[in-house]
Amino acid sequence: TSMCLIELLGPEMNPVLCRLVIDALIQRGEASAIPVKTLIELLRPGNDSWLRQLAIKVLTERGDASAISVLTQLLGDQHLNRVAAEALGRLKWKASNASEQRLYAIAMGQFTDTVAGLSAPFELLVEGLKSGHRDALMALSRMNDNRVVPVCIAALEKEWMNRPGPIAEVLAKLGDRRAVMPLISALERHRVLGPDEEFRQLAMALGDLRDIRAVSPLVSVIVADSVEDAIIGALVKIGKPGADALAETLNKPGDLYWRRSRAVRALCEIGDGRGVRALVDSSRVPSKASAAVRLLQKVVEAHGQKLPREALQSILSLSDQVPWVGEITTCGGGRAVSGLEDGSHVRQLARQELI
């Protein structure tokens, strides 16, 4: 009966029925009787993927020269190369030439052990990168080759495996400012997918490159609070060269609250007095005062040493008009702030734009 079933096998047979027949033959220990020619027919592109993997399983159990030959050819199949490579690994197969070694390395993602022995390691890693192997990306980042940055930028623009974060990390590590505009484009594309780790990595990469062109995109991108710290951190890394661009945001009429408040926070952390002055002005508006003074308190406590004297004096000027602002004193050449209360007793009004 087994031979009758084997004779029925082929691509013209119903895929589900074909899989059931092969499973039954495997359980009975008779799968090795399936001719290699039949297995090759089942492996043709376009056939049922599970059926193709079953055919590879049978070839692995055969383990003879003809089976190894077929499995080696499958190293070039983009859909089955990993399964074929794993099967060859179980059979203790050894590559007979550099081409087979390259294909096997790409399929398995084993770039660390194979790159050194190849004549064209860069090309191998680029192929591995295109196949989505992070190890290939990491190996590329360690190479002293001026072709690495364009390759990584191309991968970023093609939304590498839908995960731009790892590419962004590598580009930041390489420190090449050719990556700034592609990273900005990726940041703007990725925001529609929602805030997540990928978004944070893109923002941090732009901060690490410290390029003023990233300031406006970082301020204007619409994201949730969960990634605000990453954006502020990136803006602070860019630092004083980006302060003017941040300050311009404060003067844009009708700009969104969170964009302007983010710019204020970044200016304060950089140590630029314009952020404090904007908060002081808001503190004089009853509907914005409560939120403004809370943020002022946090800013002075965290960054008082960075703030210029004029900024601290502008906070002190509120003491004559707003009862919940304490006094600013100077002692020993350093600035200290005391008596700045929470302001929670201030009448809570409907929250409007802070700035």
Side-chain angles (χ1 to χ4, degrees), residues 156-184:
L156 180 71
E157 290 173 340
K158 292 180 180 178
E159 290 292 333
W160 181 74
M161 300 298 288
N162 293 317
R163 295 191 58 215
I167 293 275
E169 281 187 357
V170 169
L171 288 169
K173 177 182 175 183
L174 294 173
D176 193 308
R177 293 194 174 184
R178 287 178 292 175
V180 171
M181 295 312 297
L183 282 169
I184 289 172

Side-chain angles (χ1 to χ4, degrees), residues 17-37:
L17 184 58
C18 199
R19 279 156 42 191
L20 291 173
V21 169
I22 294 176
D23 273 332
L25 291 170
I26 290 173
Q27 290 174 11
R28 295 168 64 173
E30 299 175 353
S32 59
I34 303 174
V36 173
K37 181 180 178 181

Side-chain angles (χ1 to χ4, degrees), residues 57-122:
K57 184 176 180 180
V58 174
L59 285 167
T60 307
E61 290 185 1
R62 288 178 65 100
D64 55 20
S66 59
I68 290 175
S69 175
V70 175
L71 290 170
T72 303
Q73 293 175 37
L74 288 173
L75 289 175
D77 187 303
Q78 63 175 335
H79 300 295
L80 293 179
N81 59 350
R82 178 67 185 234
V83 181
E86 290 173 347
L88 288 167
R90 288 193 291 271
L91 294 172
K92 310 298 182 184
W93 167 86
K94 298 293 183 183
S96 60
N97 54 58
S99 176
E100 289 180 357
Q101 186 183 23
R102 178 179 61 82
L103 290 171
Y104 182 80
I106 292 171
M108 295 297 290
Q110 296 178 349
F111 301 102
T112 304
D113 299 329
T114 57
V115 168
L118 296 176
S119 59
F122 182 81

Side-chain angles (χ1 to χ4, degrees), residues 104-275:
Y104 182 80
I106 292 171
M108 295 297 290
Q110 296 178 349
F111 301 102
T112 304
D113 299 329
T114 57
V115 168
L118 296 176
S119 59
F122 182 81
E123 286 73 16
L124 166 67
L125 293 175
V126 171
E127 289 190 49
L129 181 65
K130 291 178 180 177
S131 299
H133 292 294
R134 182 163 182 163
D135 286 346
L137 173 63
M138 294 300 105
L140 275 170
S141 71
R142 294 189 291 270
M143 293 186 73
N144 185 21
D145 192 311
N146 58 13
R147 296 173 293 175
V148 172
V149 172
V151 165
C152 288
I153 288 175
L156 180 71
E157 290 173 340
K158 292 180 180 178
E159 290 292 333
W160 181 74
M161 300 298 288
N162 293 317
R163 295 191 58 215
I167 293 275
E169 281 187 357
V170 169
L171 288 169
K173 177 182 175 183
L174 294 173
D176 193 308
R177 293 194 174 184
R178 287 178 292 175
V180 171
M181 295 312 297
L183 282 169
I184 289 172
S185 297
L187 185 81
E188 293 174 343
R189 286 197 307 272
H190 204 68
R191 67 181 179 182
V192 301
L193 302 178
D196 56 11
E197 184 59 28
E198 305 297 320
F199 193 99
R200 276 187 283 272
Q201 288 175 302
L202 288 165
M204 288 188 290
L206 284 167
D208 289 338
L209 289 172
R210 291 173 167 80
D211 192 293
I212 194 172
R213 291 174 291 175
V215 172
S216 293
L218 284 168
V219 172
S220 64
V221 71
I222 302 174
V223 294
D225 293 342
S226 59
V227 292
E228 182 170 336
D229 285 343
I231 293 174
I232 297 298
L235 291 167
V236 171
K237 280 184 179 180
I238 295 170
K240 291 191 179 296
D244 288 342
L246 284 167
E248 286 177 10
T249 303
L250 305 181
N251 301 320
K252 288 182 179 179
D255 209 350
L256 294 174
Y257 157 75
W258 52 64
R259 291 180 183 171
R260 302 176 74 182
S261 61
R262 187 176 299 134
V264 166
R265 181 179 159 192
L267 282 167
C268 292
E269 294 196 20
I270 290 169
D272 189 290
R274 286 173 287 187

Side-chain angles (χ1 to χ4, degrees), residues 10-12 37-49 51-53 55 70 74 77 79-80:
E12 67 280 352
K37 181 180 178 181
T38 301
L39 293 171
I40 291 174
E41 290 178 352
L42 296 175
L43 285 166
R44 286 176 181 170
N47 285 346
D48 179 80
S49 60
L51 184 56
R52 298 180 81 199
Q53 292 186 43
V70 175
L74 288 173
D77 187 303
H79 300 295
L80 293 179

Side-chain angles (χ1 to χ4, degrees), residues 297-306:
Q297 180 182 9
K298 293 178 182 178
V299 165
V300 176
E301 288 175 350
H303 309 290
Q305 299 293 332
K306 297 180 184 178

